[in-house]
Amino acid sequence: MKPAAPSHQPLAERLRPRQLSEVIGQQHVLGPGMPLRLAFESGRPHSCILWGPPGVGKTTIARLMADAFDAQFISISAVLGGVKDIREAVERAEAARGGLHAGPQGSLIQEPQRTIVFVDEVHRFNKSQQDAFLPHVESGLFTFIGATTENPSFEVNSALLSRAAVYVLQPLSSDELKQIVALAQSEQALPAIENEAIERLVAYADGDARRLLNTLETLAMAAAQDKLSEITDAWLLKVLGERMRRYDKGGEQFYDTISALHKSVRGSDPDAALYWLVRMLDGGADPRYMARRLVRMAAEDVGLADPRALRLALDASEVYERLGSPEGELALAECVVYLAVAPKSNAVYKAYNAARAFVKQDGTRPVPMHLRNAPTQLMKQLDYGKGYRYAHDEEGGFAAGERYLPEGMAEPGFYRPVERGLEIKIAQKLRDLRGRNAAASADPENP
């Protein structure tokens, strides 16, 4: 049972879990027998990185870990902090390990205590700042817990990453978000809410518990002012305005709009594509989601007709991550226009699907002996790799007549370039290479 929290605290803080059993979501790491649960139960904290989108419980889990291990909890924001904060954390950890740390009402306690240093948005620390943690993590001075919304493989130094377990946290499901709404109501923080309004709130939160709780707090204050006994969907739209009405993140309108954007790009209409992009951004769509969809469009509908499109889509995604809104949205707009005016080809998309369908229904064919690797003498004696022709040693860097498919398999022709953009040249090159293959196969002196 959570102790009563001061009423002036934000709703998100008042409802923050005080013990592990109260955590909603993340059961793939916190459920019985799961990795983080086992860490809690072992009584031995270990350094880790919590990777997941905003509002999924990263800070909460770190705080619970400190409580579970009776550890001093030091929180550092990588957005606002720096080396000075790291140095102060080290000093406090050394004092706690030496037996001197803060107790209730500011008193000093003479008893050794563990320390957990929690770094929020750790990916925003540069290499030297991240390196500053290493000697203290290695010496066991404190347990390091980093929270990040970015892929640790790219944003966290390999040295620090090798010393920390990575736990991937997931957006909360609709049912889990509804549990939070019910919890807020049970704590008398909200009046009744009709089902349609709950569904809309859950869709708007999009897996982010903090966004949901902040929205609920806004609604609670507005409902109290209007002296409402129930929050209706109509009143919800009135209070939260056009953004929630026009953009139903989990509903049909969302999928209709992203479909319109995709088809406008495919149809080479930059004005229509821009219109649908702005409609979605204005309606509250997550720009990161939009960036992912643009990468997909580049691969599916432009393909090798203009290989630069995929790189530009990835660059636009990275620019948005660096700049955020609204500045980074311009890069998404630039990408949309480029994709719309680029030559179109779905040849790679069709080839990939054809290859998947073929492999799914086909048997497992052995790799031809001349294509097998021969790292050991025994494999060489068994003729692994025998007869393989090294293309770089052949005329024009092409081993004419060589076969790379399994024995007995006909040429499937998965990839068929279109007569647009760079694929015109690709098609011509493939015709030339196939002609050389045919000539070599017809030559009786060909090896």
Side-chain angles (χ1 to χ4, degrees):
M1 193 75 177
K2 288 193 288 288
S7 60
H8 65 271
Q9 287 187 330
L11 180 61
E13 187 61 33
R14 278 185 278 153
L15 297 185
R16 187 185 294 278
R18 302 294 192 264
Q19 53 191 29
L20 199 60
S21 61
E22 295 173 354
V23 176
I24 295 174
Q26 312 310 332
Q27 292 306 296
H28 64 292
V29 292
L30 292 175
M34 295 296 105
L36 261 179
R37 169 64 71 87
L38 293 176
F40 274 85
E41 293 173 348
S42 71
R44 300 177 62 187
H46 62 269
S47 294
C48 61
I49 292 174
L50 305 175
W51 172 27
V56 297
K58 298 187 289 292
T59 303
T60 294
I61 291 172
R63 288 184 179 276
L64 288 175
M65 196 173 290
D67 291 342
F69 302 125
D70 191 27
Q72 174 183 219
F73 184 79
I74 302 175
S75 179
I76 300 175
S77 169
V79 176
L80 303 174
V83 173
K84 178 176 178 290
D85 300 87
I86 299 173
R87 190 180 301 117
E88 290 177 355
V90 170
E91 292 172 355
R92 289 176 59 187
E94 288 175 338
R97 185 169 66 175
L100 189 64
H101 59 91
Q105 287 81 46
S107 62
L108 292 179
I109 298 177
Q110 188 71 37
E111 181 181 341
Q113 186 184 34
R114 292 168 170 163
T115 297
I116 287 180
V117 175
F118 174 69
V119 182
D120 196 19
E121 303 292 340
V122 65
H123 61 275
R124 294 188 181 273
F125 269 160
N126 60 35
K127 184 179 185 300
S128 63
Q129 289 169 322
Q130 292 184 27
D131 283 346
F133 292 104
L134 290 176
H136 309 298
V137 172
E138 288 183 336
S139 69
L141 175 63
F142 55 70
T143 299
F144 170 85
I145 301 180
T148 179
T149 56
E150 306 300 320
N151 190 329
S153 300
F154 304 124
E155 304 295 341
V156 178
N157 288 355
S158 57
L160 186 57
L161 196 61
S162 68
R163 292 163 175 79
V166 176
Y167 297 109
V168 182
L169 306 187
Q170 304 294 341
L172 272 65
S173 68
S174 296
D175 288 342
E176 289 164 349
L177 290 172
K178 289 175 183 177
Q179 290 180 47
I180 293 175
V181 175
L183 179 62
Q185 291 177 302
S186 70
E187 296 285 325
Q188 298 181 335
L190 281 173
I193 308 177
E194 70 176 15
N195 289 335
E196 291 80 358
I198 292 176
E199 293 292 341
R200 191 178 297 277
L201 282 167
V202 166
Y204 178 71
D206 194 28
D208 185 333
R210 188 184 301 114
R211 177 191 284 185
L212 176 63
L213 288 167
N214 289 342
T215 304
L216 290 175
E217 189 163 35
T218 300
L219 292 176
M221 291 186 290
Q225 185 174 354
D226 288 358
K227 298 180 179 178
L228 294 181
S229 60
E230 182 182 43
I231 293 175
T232 65
D233 192 42
W235 183 84
L236 177 65
L237 291 172
K238 175 185 172 183
V239 171
L240 296 181
E242 287 290 296
R243 172 161 296 193
M244 184 168 281
R245 182 183 65 80
R246 289 187 302 169
Y247 183 65
D248 179 4
K249 196 179 291 274
E252 183 178 354
Q253 183 181 359
F254 169 76
Y255 295 106
D256 286 347
T257 310
I258 191 64
S259 175
L261 170 60
H262 197 152
K263 288 170 181 172
S264 298
V265 167
R266 184 182 295 151
S268 300
D269 189 332
D271 288 341
L274 268 177
Y275 169 76
W276 293 116
L277 173 72
V278 173
R279 268 279 300 273
M280 295 198 75
L281 293 174
D282 181 65
D286 184 350
R288 294 177 179 84
Y289 170 81
M290 304 304 298
R292 292 196 298 271
R293 290 305 298 253
L294 294 178
V295 172
R296 168 70 185 204
M297 293 175 205
E300 178 179 341
D301 291 293
V302 178
L304 291 179
D306 185 352
R308 295 170 298 185
L310 185 57
R311 182 64 261 172
L312 191 140
L314 291 168
D315 287 344
S317 178
E318 183 178 344
V319 167
Y320 180 80
E321 290 294 341
R322 288 179 179 270
L323 298 183
S325 292
E327 293 88 348
E329 292 169 9
L330 180 59
L332 303 183
E334 179 182 333
C335 178
V336 159
V337 172
Y338 189 94
L339 295 180
V341 300
K344 303 298 187 297
S345 171
N346 68 345
V348 172
Y349 175 67
K350 292 172 67 177
Y352 173 68
N353 287 337
R356 285 188 65 190
F358 179 86
V359 169
K360 188 174 182 179
Q361 59 82 34
D362 191 47
T364 302
R365 300 171 184 258
V367 176
M369 295 297 287
H370 71 286
L371 297 181
R372 298 188 187 188
N373 191 29
T376 69
Q377 188 60 38
L378 175 61
M379 289 178 170
K380 291 177 182 176
Q381 292 172 0
L382 295 174
D383 289 341
Y384 278 45
K386 183 178 182 180
Y388 171 65
R389 296 163 60 194
Y390 189 57
H392 293 288
D393 291 340
E394 304 275 341
E395 181 181 353
F398 178 66
E402 182 77 307
R403 273 186 58 85
Y404 300 97
L405 289 168
E407 297 293 337
M409 180 175 167
E411 293 286 344
F414 295 139
Y415 177 53
R416 301 177 185 273
V418 300
E419 292 297 316
R420 291 185 292 276
L422 183 63
E423 287 201 322
I424 295 174
K425 293 184 177 180
I426 294 174
Q428 180 59 53
K429 178 173 183 178
L430 288 177
R431 284 193 291 269
D432 292 344
L433 295 178
R434 286 166 183 158
R436 290 178 61 184
N437 273 337
S441 298
D443 184 357
E445 297 184 4
N446 185 59

